[in-house]
Amino acid sequence: QNASAPTPPLLLCDHARWLDLWRLGSGVGADLAGKTNQKRHDGTVKLACAPKHLLRAKLGGKRRTACAAVSPDGKLVAASDTHALRLFEVRSDLDGAGDGEGMTLRKLESPLGHVTCAHLLVFTPDGKVLVAVSVTGAVHVIDLESWEVMQSLRQHLPQPSPAAVALAKAQRRERREDTSYSQQPVRAADLGSPAVSHAVASADGQWLAVVTTSAGAAGRREAGVHVYNLDSLKLHVSLPPPAVAGAGASWPPVHAVAFSPTGVLALALGNNAVVAYDAESGKLSPWSVALAAAKATAPPALLAMPGQICGLSFDPTPGSAVLLCQTSAAIARVDLAVAPSLGGELNGTRVPSAGNGNGGAPSPKRRRTKNKATTNGDNDFGGSNGKAAAGGSHSGGAPKVAALDDPCLFLGYFAPGRALLVERPWKEVLKQIPEPLYRHRFGT
């Protein structure tokens, strides 16, 4: 949505010891916005030019990158290891030979403030603000125009009392003095985890969602999802946990998070459960309300996907609610503007009430009833008039699931109606497996 975004867009790949910057290929017959109608039968776009590798930046010494991000306009690259946060300016190598597509990185001065390193890096869609999340959970909001830290957000973290701090110091001192403690088996609670596991900014740059993790049985930090207002730099709302099976009064682990253009926050939980909240009101979206009324955590098609959902991406088309879900072995497409398809309900419409004359059973005229319901002004799932956004048809509220032959590394939208899928062929995986040790069956 950024008017200054490069066309075709850029892709940053983090390989721990180096960073690769790619320029995506453009489709055949693409217009100035990059859209094209020339597709293959499987939905993939015919390329007029292949993706091009622009640069590779290697880290000095034995350091490894903890996180990296590229700005939406493609002019800045932020990278952090366990020691320092670095900002680079992406410059075109116009003096080199060729078509001038070569790129170089120029290191910029670090922003003013106490930001040494980061665990997560997020650029706002306008590219003017960089959000750096430290391992301790502090969220530093950096203004890239003034190179200053506007605010360090910590309202999502527990505020320990002086007595709790003194007790923690005493426990650490006892562990160091206890010689038998080092010989005890390591427990899951001793390993610890980063205070913030996910952070994502909304398309309009107003909201910032922060997902915190639990500190274990002996810790004081509880898991939760918190939404900040980036305009006022204050905590807006802490979302209540969903009523999923086994969740109780606390948040279950969150595996992926994404913002829609309309401000809907989608979260992927365990067992491929998906829940959606309205960021402004802090309440469940109509799609999740319909699931909760049916005592379901997700449509059956999502629950049956192989693997765990580890990636979510919304179509950036204004007003769209189309969500892509990714596991390592399958991908799915679901429209949150259409009622979820569950057993015993109409496909893509509201759940019929018990007084519909059929005892709550679906109407035999499924298609005609669906078309009437999508044009009804009383439908809670508005925004797309019952039709799938981002191009292409969608059969009601049932998600479309496609199994993959190769492992999926990334799936996400990079333009309205256009997504990028990165797979790693099994042949490359098998090449890295060492050859088996040969030993004769008889003798030594």
Side-chain angles (χ1 to χ4, degrees):
Q1 300 298 315
N2 194 339
S4 60
T7 303
L10 302 180
L11 176 66
L12 181 66
C13 301
D14 186 0
H15 297 274
R17 295 300 302 273
W18 65 84
L19 300 176
D20 282 340
L21 190 63
W22 291 78
R23 185 184 299 279
L24 299 183
S26 59
V28 176
D31 53 11
L32 296 178
K35 295 183 179 180
T36 178
N37 295 325
Q38 306 221 7
K39 301 180 181 179
R40 299 186 179 92
H41 66 281
D42 57 354
T44 57
V45 178
K46 298 180 180 180
L47 294 180
C49 60
K52 184 174 183 179
H53 182 258
L54 300 180
L55 64 88
R56 169 169 292 183
K58 295 184 178 180
L59 276 71
K62 297 182 179 180
R63 295 183 179 181
R64 294 178 178 269
T65 57
C67 56
V70 60
S71 61
D73 56 4
K75 297 180 180 179
L76 294 176
V77 170
S80 176
D81 53 19
T82 57
H83 296 82
L85 169 64
R86 299 177 178 86
L87 295 175
F88 302 91
E89 179 185 5
V90 181
R91 305 179 63 181
S92 299
D93 189 10
L94 299 179
D95 298 334
D99 53 359
E101 286 290 336
M103 296 286 183
T104 58
L105 293 181
R106 185 177 69 90
K107 186 178 178 181
L108 302 176
E109 296 182 1
S110 300
L112 302 177
H114 302 285
V115 182
T116 55
C117 59
H119 168 65
L120 294 172
L121 292 172
V122 178
F123 281 97
T124 55
D126 57 4
K128 297 181 180 179
V129 175
L130 173 64
V131 177
V133 183
S134 64
V135 179
T136 59
V139 179
H140 306 286
V141 183
I142 305 173
D143 186 2
L144 297 179
E145 295 182 350
S146 60
W147 294 98
E148 295 181 355
V149 178
M150 297 187 295
Q151 188 74 18
S152 294
L153 308 177
R154 293 184 174 88
Q155 293 177 287
H156 56 281
L157 300 175
Q159 303 297 330
S161 61
V165 174
L167 179 60
K169 291 182 179 179
Q171 291 177 349
R172 289 194 296 267
R173 189 182 306 109
E174 292 178 358
R175 292 177 179 178
R176 289 194 299 266
E177 296 175 355
D178 188 4
T179 57
S180 63
Y181 181 79
S182 59
Q183 301 177 358
Q184 298 178 1
V186 179
R187 301 174 302 173
D190 298 333
L191 296 180
S193 60
V196 176
S197 60
H198 298 83
V200 61
S202 60
D204 56 0
Q206 182 181 5
W207 309 111
L208 175 68
V210 176
V211 180
T212 57
T213 60
S214 176
R220 298 182 64 254
R221 188 178 69 246
E222 296 182 357
V225 179
H226 313 273
V227 179
Y228 281 91
N229 190 325
L230 290 180
D231 295 335
S232 60
L233 296 178
K234 294 183 179 180
L235 180 63
H236 177 69
V237 64
S238 294
L239 301 179
V244 297
S250 61
W251 268 93
V254 177
H255 299 275
V257 61
F259 258 118
S260 74
T262 58
V264 174
L265 178 65
L267 303 107
L269 310 179
N271 298 326
N272 290 345
V274 177
V275 61
Y277 287 85
D278 182 82
E280 185 173 2
S281 63
K283 298 180 180 180
L284 289 174
S285 67
W287 187 82
S288 292
V289 170
L291 286 176
K295 296 183 180 181
T297 58
L302 293 183
L303 298 177
M305 289 179 62
Q308 171 63 47
I309 295 179
C310 57
L312 297 175
S313 180
F314 273 102
D315 188 347
T317 302
S320 173
V322 175
L323 177 67
L324 291 181
C325 307
Q326 165 209 346
T327 69
S328 59
I331 59 177
R333 178 183 182 274
V334 56
D335 193 351
L336 300 188
V338 182
S341 177
L342 301 171
E345 70 170 62
L346 291 179
N347 188 14
T349 61
R350 283 185 178 183
V351 179
S353 61
N356 61 351
N358 294 329
S363 173
K365 299 180 180 180
R366 182 183 300 268
R367 187 177 300 275
R368 182 175 300 176
T369 305
K370 179 189 70 173
N371 292 337
K372 289 183 179 180
T374 54
T375 57
N376 188 0
D378 296 333
N379 192 357
D380 291 339
F381 297 88
S384 61
N385 294 328
K387 298 180 180 180
S393 61
H394 191 32
S395 58
K400 287 186 176 181
V401 180
L404 302 176
D405 296 332
D406 297 317
C408 178
L409 302 181
F410 174 79
L411 175 66
Y413 281 99
F414 64 90
R418 302 181 66 190
L420 174 66
L421 173 65
V422 180
E423 296 177 295
R424 186 173 188 180
W426 279 112
K427 294 181 180 180
E428 296 185 2
V429 179
L430 295 177
K431 287 181 180 179
Q432 297 187 357
I433 299 179
E435 296 182 0
L437 178 63
Y438 175 78
R439 176 173 293 180
H440 200 275
R441 181 174 299 180
F442 304 101
T444 58

